Amino acid sequence: MTFLPKWLTFLKGKEVVIANAIIAILTIGGQQLFSFFTFSCPCRVGQNLIYGLAFLGVPALILLVIGYALNNQTWRLVTGKRSPLLAESTWNQLLQCKLTCFVLCSITGRALVAPVTWLAVTLINGSYYVCAVSEYVSGYYYGDIPNVTISERQRILAAFPCSQLVPPELSRARDEVILLLRYQSQVAGWLVIAVVVITVFLSYCLASCFSPLSFLHFRYWTSYVRNEQELFDEATDQHSKLYAMKHVKKFFGFVPGNENINEIRIPSLREWQAISGLAFLKLVDEEHYDYSLLHDWALKDSADRKYLKLDEDP
């Protein structure tokens, strides 16, 4: 019975590591399915390189953009940067620049998990690389093909990823080329993994060395920030609900969920028109916005309209 709480205690505070591991596992599974169902090398001169590089780079780029978009810190960094209130801030510009660079590096590090995993797995698999560069293999590795022009040799090499297009007399040369390219691709894949692991480890070491906090103090700080964010989210939800409830009550004359409702308010046609339609943030003064049309109406209208007693006979 105490096994599960011990594991929960061990995993507490390691949400980032767990999230990165889940992202990597999902990326590996997605890459395998993607390769199985969609990848089919054209085996034509000029098309192999474009096709192979597209399957290597485009999904990685998409995963990078998604990684940026799904990180709340990205939107915290860019939202409201053109606000006139921010322009009046007296922040030290150098300190602000350093903080922005630090946050951007943190966001980029998390966003790179999926694309780097994709690149490493696809290179270790080797199929994309074999397709992309087969036509550029030097004759030194497989022996010259006699009585063919350079363009014909490129056409034959481009067909090597498709075994059914290779003449029987070139099967041995094809096997040697495929083995060579898979060797190059897998070595590159493991180099990518090694470089990333070493870079991440050294980055954490440097960040820890220059941290102004001790080890236990740093753990306390991360725990505080996590708990503060959770409590802030709860308070935000409750505060916005209470604030919105005040405006809804003014419009309808009762609070939703209240079982003891004696009367309701009958909005006029003009009031329905006032809260309908599209709305955007409206600046009320230097410090406040109207969040919706109902909010704007509630702050301006006296709401002295018709009320209907619920205990009255119709």
Side-chain angles (χ1 to χ4, degrees):
M1 294 297 292
T2 60
F3 178 75
L4 184 59
K6 287 183 178 179
W7 268 105
L8 292 177
T9 303
F10 174 76
L11 296 177
K12 188 175 181 180
K14 298 179 175 61
E15 292 85 356
V16 174
V17 176
I18 297 172
N20 290 341
I22 293 174
I23 291 173
I25 292 171
L26 291 176
T27 303
I28 293 172
Q31 191 276 336
Q32 296 297 320
L33 291 174
F34 195 71
S35 300
F36 181 78
F37 287 107
T38 63
F39 184 76
S40 180
C41 187
C43 298
R44 293 181 181 275
V45 176
Q47 297 181 9
N48 285 10
L49 180 63
I50 298 174
Y51 191 81
L53 293 181
F55 270 76
L56 267 172
V58 174
L61 179 61
I62 294 174
L63 290 172
L64 179 64
V65 174
I66 292 175
Y68 276 113
L70 293 181
N71 194 322
N72 288 333
Q73 292 293 333
T74 302
W75 307 113
R76 190 168 188 172
L77 184 66
V78 302
T79 302
K81 287 302 180 183
R82 303 300 300 174
S83 171
L85 295 177
L86 190 63
E88 300 173 1
S89 175
T90 57
W91 271 56
N92 183 294
Q93 294 298 320
L94 180 60
L95 180 61
Q96 178 69 15
C97 183
K98 289 181 178 179
L99 181 60
T100 301
C101 292
F102 175 78
V103 175
L104 188 60
C105 289
S106 176
I107 296 171
T108 302
R110 296 186 183 183
L112 283 173
V113 172
V116 168
T117 302
W118 175 275
L119 288 176
V121 173
T122 51
L123 287 173
I124 291 175
N125 177 275
S127 299
Y128 300 172
Y129 182 84
V130 169
C131 177
V133 302
S134 61
E135 63 188 89
Y136 301 102
V137 177
S138 171
Y140 169 81
Y141 295 103
Y142 58 88
D144 287 331
I145 303 174
N147 302 323
V148 295
T149 62
I150 296 177
S151 60
E152 182 67 14
R153 180 183 292 110
Q154 278 194 317
R155 186 190 67 79
I156 295 173
L157 290 173
F160 274 10
C162 305
S163 58
Q164 69 275 13
L165 301 180
V166 179
E169 62 272 14
L170 296 177
S171 295
R172 182 181 179 84
R174 174 191 176 274
D175 292 340
E176 292 178 356
V177 169
I178 297 299
L179 286 175
L180 170 68
L181 296 180
R182 286 190 179 278
Y183 154 77
Q184 294 175 349
S185 180
Q186 291 176 354
V187 168
W190 283 112
L191 284 177
V192 168
I193 294 175
V195 169
V196 170
V197 169
I198 294 173
T199 302
V200 171
F201 175 73
L202 292 179
S203 299
Y204 274 107
C205 288
L206 289 175
S208 299
C209 288
F210 288 98
S211 173
L213 306 178
S214 63
F215 176 72
L216 293 179
H217 198 177
F218 179 80
R219 288 182 61 183
Y220 172 83
W221 173 62
T222 55
S223 177
Y224 170 84
V225 171
R226 182 177 65 255
N227 291 326
E228 180 190 75
Q229 187 61 51
E230 292 176 357
L231 293 171
F232 185 84
D233 290 341
E234 293 177 9
T236 298
D237 183 67
Q238 186 173 356
H239 183 283
S240 59
K241 183 180 293 185
L242 293 173
Y243 195 39
M245 191 179 295
K246 175 183 176 182
H247 302 145
V248 172
K249 179 182 179 181
K250 188 173 183 180
F251 190 80
F252 288 111
F254 70 95
V255 176
N258 187 2
E259 297 180 356
N260 300 318
I261 301 175
N262 297 321
E263 62 180 10
I264 60 174
R265 183 175 177 275
I266 309 301
S268 66
L269 178 61
R270 187 179 298 276
E271 289 169 339
W272 281 113
Q273 291 288 344
I275 69 168
S276 302
L278 301 176
F280 195 64
L281 287 174
K282 179 182 178 182
L283 186 64
V284 180
D285 52 43
E286 293 183 355
E287 299 292 337
H288 300 93
Y289 281 98
D290 281 345
Y291 299 127
S292 68
L293 293 177
L294 177 61
H295 185 197
D296 182 54
W297 171 86
L299 295 180
K300 293 179 179 178
D301 201 285
S302 60
D304 52 349
R305 303 295 179 186
K306 179 181 177 181
Y307 280 80
L308 176 65
K309 296 289 186 179
L310 296 182
D311 56 355
E312 293 180 351
D313 294 329

